[in-house]
Amino acid sequence: MVLVIGVQLGTAQSDVEEIDFIQSIMGAEKKQIMSQFVDLQGPTADAFWKLYDEYEVERKSLGKERIALIKQYAEEYAGITPEQTDALMSKAIKLRDSNDKLVDTYYKKIKKVAGSKAAALFHQLESYIQAALRTELFNNIPLIGELDN
């Protein structure tokens, strides 16, 4: 749902502002959810949340790339060529892999400072949230050629 909103934005400047706004709301909601499951105290909690905030900065950057890719897909959809399709898919695969690697990297970092349980909860919740967002996205973006009929 959030990613689909990015496709419908107007000018480049308002795109950035709108995306930042949406990501800040989503990030705050995610942090609240995470805090309900990850119950840490003292320095361990501080270390966890510091890493979580670092992760969110990197995740949001990848999210902006994903939104730009979706916007490109929407702009090219009507007359998309095989070459454009291949280029879009290459970018999509790279973004997916980068996102998965990011979660895995932060799992390891969090495990070092907050233990296996907190790291596993982080990984599980991030995976769940991302799967839900991907599902929403896939439900709202047409397949290549779907609208040609």
Side-chain angles (χ1 to χ4, degrees):
M1 177 173 64
V2 172
L3 300 176
V4 175
I5 294 170
V7 174
Q8 300 170 354
L9 299 174
T11 66
Q13 181 63 30
S14 67
D15 283 0
V16 172
E17 292 169 358
E18 186 76 16
I19 291 166
D20 288 344
F21 177 71
I22 291 167
Q23 284 188 325
S24 69
I25 291 171
M26 188 175 119
E29 290 174 357
K30 283 180 61 208
K31 192 167 188 174
Q32 182 181 9
I33 292 167
M34 191 70 64
S35 69
Q36 292 174 2
F37 290 92
V38 179
D39 185 25
L40 301 170
Q41 304 301 318
T44 303
D46 295 340
F48 173 86
W49 290 114
K50 181 178 186 246
L51 284 174
Y52 181 81
D53 290 342
E54 288 175 15
Y55 163 80
E56 278 294 294
V57 169
E58 293 184 49
R59 183 198 59 77
K60 286 177 183 179
S61 177
L62 290 174
K64 287 179 182 177
E65 290 181 48
R66 188 174 301 108
I67 291 169
L69 184 62
I70 293 166
K71 189 171 185 177
Q72 180 183 354
Y73 176 67
E75 291 168 355
E76 295 175 355
Y77 183 85
I80 196 163
T81 66
E83 295 78 16
Q84 289 170 315
T85 301
D86 191 45
L88 287 167
M89 285 306 304
S90 293
K91 289 178 187 177
I93 290 167
K94 181 182 174 195
L95 278 170
R96 182 208 55 214
D97 292 347
S98 294
N99 193 72
D100 290 347
K101 183 178 178 182
L102 180 65
V103 174
D104 293 347
T105 297
Y106 273 86
Y107 166 81
K108 292 172 188 170
K109 289 181 178 186
I110 290 170
K111 181 179 168 184
K112 286 181 183 178
V113 301
S116 296
K117 183 178 178 182
L121 283 167
F122 161 79
H123 197 286
Q124 287 177 317
L125 289 169
E126 281 301 314
S127 297
Y128 176 81
I129 291 167
Q130 289 176 17
L133 288 172
R134 285 177 182 165
T135 299
E136 184 70 23
L137 174 65
F138 293 144
N139 286 333
N140 287 287
I141 292 183
L143 297 172
I144 292 181
E146 181 180 3
L147 300 179
D148 293 344
N149 300 327

